[in-house]
């Protein structure tokens, strides 16, 4: 949205050309300038510049929705609001399960079962909606190489023996879990950026990243001077990308 | 009338031409008239007329300002301000200790900033305020509407439904106790659907969308004149990452603060911002301080800092022009933001005191 070209914001052609001479081509550049700079650059009067500012803002600003509309949308599709974890106590405490459309973080000391939980959630997401799943594919970004496909099959077979009664069903389930092994921060970020198209093409309904901390701690030593800001930059950028994906496609992350 | 031509809000090219043609004061420009102006500086008659209108408007407002008319000026005596402040309403937070500390609740026409570590309850308080601003006047509320600008994506509709249901129930209990007619009539319109449909939600993904939204907010507020609360949840988030140019960030933040102050004053609305905490490493220890730097600290009029003390959440009033600094405990319950119950009175089991969404805090090592 920010990188939207000014031409698409319905400014007049000559104004766009004039602005591009000063290297202002996107809405971001336009809105970052102060009013006096804008007056100098566009050659318009104060009142006109304010009107231009409103026009450009209209092009970038988000749409309004009332909380009621949001609730109605969620009520229409109740199964799509949460992914139940199949643990009744946990579901009750979480008010229904892992919420779709937002980020959920699982933390614990080592060995408590985070990766097992992630593997189980992958199985649950591939189940059809009638059984409480999301009937979709899963993207699993693994940074610790802890994912074991055999364990996935074992959990599926033991948990839902009636559903996964044939080998074929098991294979189709494993086929819909896409595993990506990333070992550096840069590749994790690149992978997250490329996810948008994959989500649409593969009909992904769940994204799991196991785990963010291990790859960040490996690369950034907080005792070194500049690393803290770089680390927070990387984390914040990754987080905002994931939030965007989660909200845009209404899937749990 | 003796205003210098260079200070008029005309297009820069026009000003340059006026100066080159020898015009020095606004008076001279007005005396010339549109046709003469167009001939002297070589612009079309329509442009000359437009310029003259701008000049005339500027001089007129200058004159009224010097004459002391209260129309466009923002000055008034302290007595008028006192009367205004006493008649002004507050937005209650449903936690009476916090309301007392704030002097009645969140004040209108002021910017209140809430800082705190993640998970301490900032978004909960914002959602509570968005519901509380809509309480009808006969129950002590403002009967207003709320604008919620979300930059972090932490607005959960289901949670607002819970908070709103608890608020409606609370008002129903009051109405039953008092049995007055206007209470019952107000309750008819104060329902879950009406509360939710009067919260206007904007989701801004980065700082450009936030800036654009703030530019458009005055028009929106003029259309929806009943809005009494503007919440920006997470003002720090879009400005903290991806910013190489810190001076640009400071400039944008200051501009934002100015516009919010103007919005708060013109539309008699309360502006509530939530901020994150950052660590400042001193010589021997590190302390948590609000993010976005020292200069941002001047933007907010009232500052609340939320923090933990073992398992108890505390709120400290850190900066306020009229109230003294104090700390009070509070709780987040399934019904929303509440006081801490004194241990003798409560009969609820411990489990229902804590919000099911929040895990109890344990000592974590960072």
């Amino acid at each position: 949205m920010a990188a939207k070209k000014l031409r698409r914001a319905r400014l007049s052609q000559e104004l766009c050309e004039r602005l591009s001479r000063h290297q202002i081509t996107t809405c971001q550049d336009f809105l970052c300038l102060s009013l006096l700079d804008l007056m100098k650059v566009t050659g318009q009067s104060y009142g006109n510049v304010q009107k231009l500012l409103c026009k450009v803002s209209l092009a970038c600003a988000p749409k309004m929705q009332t909380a009621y509309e949001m609730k109605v949308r969620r009520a229409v599709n109740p199964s799509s609001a949460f992914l139940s974890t199949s643990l009744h106590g946990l579901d009750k405490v979480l008010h229904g399960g892992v919420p779709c459309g937002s980020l959920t973080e699982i933390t614990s000391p080592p060995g408590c079962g985070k990766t097992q939980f992630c593997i189980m959630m992958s199985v649950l997401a591939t189940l059809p909606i009638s059984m409480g799943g999301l009937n979709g594919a899963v993207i699993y970004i693994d940074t610790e190489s802890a994912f074991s496909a055999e364990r996935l099959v074992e959990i599926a077979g033991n948990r839902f023996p009636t559903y996964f009664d044939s080998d074929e069903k098991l294979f189709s389930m494993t086929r819909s879990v896409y595993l990506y092994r990333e070992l550096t921060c840069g590749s994790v970020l690149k992978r997250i950026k490329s996810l948008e198209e994959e989500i649409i093409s593969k009909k992904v309904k769940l994204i799991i990243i196991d785990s963010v901390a291990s790859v960040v701690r490996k690369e950034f030593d907080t005792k070194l001077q500049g690393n803290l800001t770089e680390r927070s930059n990387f984390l914040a950028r990754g987080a905002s990308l994931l939030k965007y994906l989660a909200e845009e496609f209404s899937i749990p992350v | 009338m003796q205003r210098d031509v260079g200070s008029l809000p005309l297009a820069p090219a026009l000003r340059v031409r006026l100066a080159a043609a020898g015009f020095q004061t606004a008076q001279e420009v007005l005396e010339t008239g549109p046709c003469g102006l167009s001939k002297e500086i070589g612009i079309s008659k329509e442009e000359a007329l437009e310029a003259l209108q701008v000049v005339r408007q500027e001089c007129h407002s200058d004159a009224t300002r010097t004459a002391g008319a209260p129309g466009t000026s923002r000055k008034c005596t302290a007595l008028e301000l006192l009367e205004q402040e006493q008649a002004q309403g507050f937005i209650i937070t449903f936690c009476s200790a916090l309301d007392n500390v704030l002097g009645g609740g969140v004040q209108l026409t002021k910017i209140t900033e809430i800082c705190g570590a993640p998970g301490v309850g900032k978004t909960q308080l914002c959602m509570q305020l968005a519901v509380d601003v809509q309480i009808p006047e006969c129950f002590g509320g403002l009967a207003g509407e709320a604008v919620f600008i979300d930059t972090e994506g932490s607005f959960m509709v289901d949670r607002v439904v819970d908070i709103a249901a608890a608020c409606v129930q609370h008002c129903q209990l009051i109405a039953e106790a008092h049995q007055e007619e206007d209470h019952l009539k107000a309750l008819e319109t104060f329902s879950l659907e009406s509360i939710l449909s009067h919260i206007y939600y904007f989701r801004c993904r980065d700082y450009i969308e936030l800036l654009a939204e703030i530019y458009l907010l005055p028009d929106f507020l003029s259309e929806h004149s009943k809005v009494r609360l503007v919440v920006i949840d997470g003002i720090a988030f879009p400005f903290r990452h991806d910013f190489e140019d810190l001076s640009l960030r400071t400039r944008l933040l200051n501009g934002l603060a100015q516009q919010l102050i103007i919005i708060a004053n013109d539309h008699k609305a309360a502006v509530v911002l939530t901020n994150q905490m950052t660590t400042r490493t001193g010589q021997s220890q590190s302390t948590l301080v609000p993010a976005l730097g020292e200069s941002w600290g001047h933007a907010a009029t009232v500052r609340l800092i939320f923090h933990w003390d073992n398992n108890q959440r505390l709120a400290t009033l850190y900066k306020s022009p009229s109230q003294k600094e104090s700390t009070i405990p509070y709780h987040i319950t399934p019904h929303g933001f509440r006081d801490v119950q004194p241990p003798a009175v409560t009969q609820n089991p411990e489990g229902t005191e804590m919000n099911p969404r929040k895990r109890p805090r344990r000592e974590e090592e960072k």
Side-chain angles (χ1 to χ4, degrees):
Chain A
M1 269 296 174
K4 199 165 173 181
K5 297 280 180 196
L6 283 173
R7 222 172 303 128
R8 299 210 315 267
R10 294 203 208 125
L11 290 182
S12 69
Q13 186 68 14
E14 43 163 308
L15 198 59
C16 290
E17 280 169 26
R18 192 173 172 154
L19 289 170
S20 57
R21 256 179 275 145
H22 292 266
Q23 268 106 36
I24 303 174
T25 46
T26 63
C27 291
Q28 182 164 355
D29 304 326
F30 193 87
L31 287 174
C32 278
L33 295 174
S34 67
L35 276 175
L36 286 177
D37 288 333
L38 280 175
M39 279 174 73
K40 209 174 10 169
V41 155
T42 59
Q44 305 262 343
S45 68
Y46 188 70
N48 274 349
V49 163
Q50 286 197 313
K51 278 192 223 138
L52 277 177
L53 212 56
C54 278
K55 231 201 288 192
V56 174
S57 306
L58 266 174
C60 323
K63 256 189 354 199
M64 191 267 292
Q65 23 174 342
T66 63
Y68 187 54
E69 289 166 14
M70 292 170 67
K71 171 170 172 272
V72 162
R73 220 177 306 146
R74 279 171 98 91
V76 157
N77 220 349
S79 62
S80 77
F82 292 102
L83 169 62
S84 126
T85 59
S86 78
L87 300 165
H88 287 296
L90 190 59
D91 281 344
K92 203 155 62 116
V93 166
L94 288 177
H95 224 283
V98 171
C100 291
S102 54
L103 269 83
T104 310
E105 187 185 7
I106 304 167
T107 62
S108 74
C112 276
K114 298 188 293 289
T115 307
Q116 300 298 311
F117 185 75
C118 292
I119 297 181
M120 194 186 73
M121 294 302 285
S122 329
V123 172
L124 287 173
T126 53
L127 291 178
I129 297 185
S130 54
M131 292 183 67
L134 294 175
N135 198 20
V138 176
I139 288 191
Y140 197 108
I141 300 182
D142 189 6
T143 61
E144 293 176 331
S145 301
F147 185 85
S148 148
E150 275 186 18
R151 181 73 181 128
L152 181 73
V153 169
E154 189 184 354
I155 291 182
N158 284 332
R159 201 67 194 275
F160 303 103
T162 50
Y163 180 70
F164 289 110
D165 47 6
S166 66
D167 274 349
E168 197 197 291
K169 284 241 181 78
L170 279 173
F171 287 152
S172 74
M173 186 266 296
T174 50
R175 233 197 313 250
S176 42
V177 176
Y178 296 96
L179 180 70
Y180 297 103
R181 282 223 176 83
E182 310 290 347
L183 294 169
T184 63
C185 287
S187 58
V188 169
L189 206 53
K190 223 173 21 176
R191 176 65 59 195
I192 298 178
K193 282 189 197 157
S194 73
L195 277 182
E196 190 171 349
E197 296 177 10
E198 305 220 0
I199 296 178
I200 302 180
S201 63
K202 297 185 181 136
K203 292 210 220 323
V204 171
K205 291 285 187 201
L206 174 66
I207 301 179
I208 298 181
I209 301 193
D210 179 20
S211 65
V212 171
S214 69
V215 68
V216 164
R217 281 174 138 173
K218 250 194 308 191
E219 275 193 33
F220 295 109
D221 184 6
T222 49
K223 292 203 196 67
L224 292 181
Q225 194 65 11
N227 271 357
L228 195 54
T229 43
E230 266 192 52
R231 186 177 92 155
S232 353
N233 260 341
F234 162 74
L235 285 172
R237 215 174 309 152
S240 58
L241 276 172
L242 288 171
K243 279 196 209 201
Y244 167 69
L245 289 173
E247 286 178 9
E248 194 60 39
F249 299 105
S250 281
I251 57 178
V253 174
Chain B
M1 276 308 183
Q2 293 307 312
R3 196 159 155 178
D4 189 40
V5 158
S7 69
L8 292 169
L10 295 168
L14 206 55
R15 268 185 277 155
V16 164
R17 287 200 204 191
L18 284 172
F23 286 98
Q24 275 189 340
T25 64
Q27 177 78 8
E28 294 177 14
V29 175
L30 282 177
E31 277 174 352
T32 317
C35 296
L37 205 61
S38 71
K39 266 187 237 146
E40 278 210 37
I41 55 180
I43 53 176
S44 74
K45 295 207 182 67
E46 289 83 19
E47 285 177 15
L49 184 62
E50 227 181 274
L52 268 180
Q53 281 172 344
V54 169
V55 173
R56 201 169 288 141
Q57 208 180 34
E58 275 303 309
C59 295
H60 182 67
S61 55
D62 275 348
T64 52
R65 235 175 281 153
T66 49
T72 47
S73 70
R74 293 173 201 271
K75 74 171 203 292
C76 52
T77 65
L79 180 62
E80 292 169 22
L81 265 179
L82 181 65
E83 288 167 10
Q84 263 178 24
E85 277 180 21
Q86 278 176 341
Q88 223 167 58
F90 296 93
I91 307 179
I92 61 171
T93 59
F94 262 104
C95 170
S96 48
L98 190 59
D99 287 339
N100 284 337
V101 158
L102 286 172
V106 173
Q107 268 182 315
L108 296 182
T109 75
K110 299 249 183 329
I111 301 189
T112 309
E113 187 179 353
I114 306 174
C115 319
V120 78
K122 307 185 292 285
T123 310
Q124 298 293 311
L125 180 59
C126 291
M127 294 200 271
Q128 180 76 58
L129 288 173
V131 170
D132 287 346
V133 75
Q134 306 190 33
I135 297 179
E137 276 161 10
C138 50
F139 294 107
L142 291 175
E145 303 174 353
V147 167
F148 200 104
I149 301 180
D150 191 4
T151 58
E152 297 174 342
S154 40
F155 184 80
M156 301 250 114
V157 187
D158 308 302
R159 182 66 181 139
V160 179
V161 167
D162 287 342
I163 296 181
C167 187
V168 169
Q169 209 181 26
H170 188 90
C171 292
Q172 275 173 343
L173 286 174
I174 299 183
E176 277 168 29
H178 289 251
Q179 284 293 333
E180 273 172 48
E181 221 192 89
D182 44 342
H183 281 194
L184 296 168
K185 209 161 49 140
L187 264 184
E188 282 167 32
T189 48
F190 188 59
S191 67
L192 200 59
E193 286 91 43
S194 80
I195 298 181
L196 287 179
S197 29
H198 289 309
I199 301 181
Y200 303 111
Y201 177 76
F202 296 88
R203 173 78 171 92
C204 295
R205 298 253 157 71
D206 52 27
Y207 70 94
I208 291 295
E209 288 191 15
L210 182 62
L211 282 177
E213 194 48 53
I214 304 285
Y215 279 129
L216 296 175
L217 209 49
D219 293 329
F220 184 83
L221 291 181
S222 319
E223 281 170 40
H224 300 85
S225 54
K226 286 186 75 179
V227 172
R228 287 282 170 272
L229 174 67
V230 175
V231 176
I232 303 185
D233 190 5
I235 193 136
F237 184 66
F239 286 102
R240 280 188 89 183
H241 64 95
D242 252 359
F243 246 105
E244 298 89 29
D245 189 2
L246 279 183
S247 56
L248 174 68
R249 183 179 98 163
T250 319
R251 186 160 58 73
L252 288 178
L253 280 174
N254 283 336
L256 204 64
Q258 294 262 5
Q259 278 164 313
L260 288 173
I261 295 179
I262 295 179
I263 290 176
N265 269 325
D266 283 346
H267 300 272
K268 280 212 183 8
V271 176
V272 174
L273 313 169
T274 52
N275 199 357
Q276 296 171 348
M277 300 291 264
T278 181
T279 321
R280 181 191 293 164
T281 42
Q283 260 128 355
S284 53
Q285 12 103 301
S286 57
T287 49
L288 277 182
V289 294
L292 293 182
E294 287 289 327
S295 50
W296 177 250
H298 300 288
T301 321
V302 177
R303 221 176 204 189
L304 277 172
I305 298 193
F306 286 1
H307 52 109
W308 292 91
D309 182 20
N310 294 331
N311 267 340
Q312 178 60 51
R313 298 168 202 258
L314 299 171
T316 305
L317 184 67
Y318 190 70
K319 171 184 173 191
S320 162
S322 52
Q323 306 294 325
K324 73 170 194 205
E325 189 174 323
S326 44
T327 306
I328 50 112
Y330 66 92
H331 249 158
I332 313 264
T333 67
H335 302 294
F337 207 80
R338 293 285 187 273
D339 272 313
V340 172
Q341 302 279 18
V345 176
T346 182
Q347 287 161 346
N348 297 333
E350 270 303 309
T352 59
E353 280 285 316
M354 296 297 286
N355 184 345
R357 271 184 187 276
K358 300 271 174 189
R359 323 178 291 281
R361 236 353 144 85
R362 256 171 267 105
E363 291 297 303
E364 291 173 14
E365 43 179 355
K366 292 268 171 168

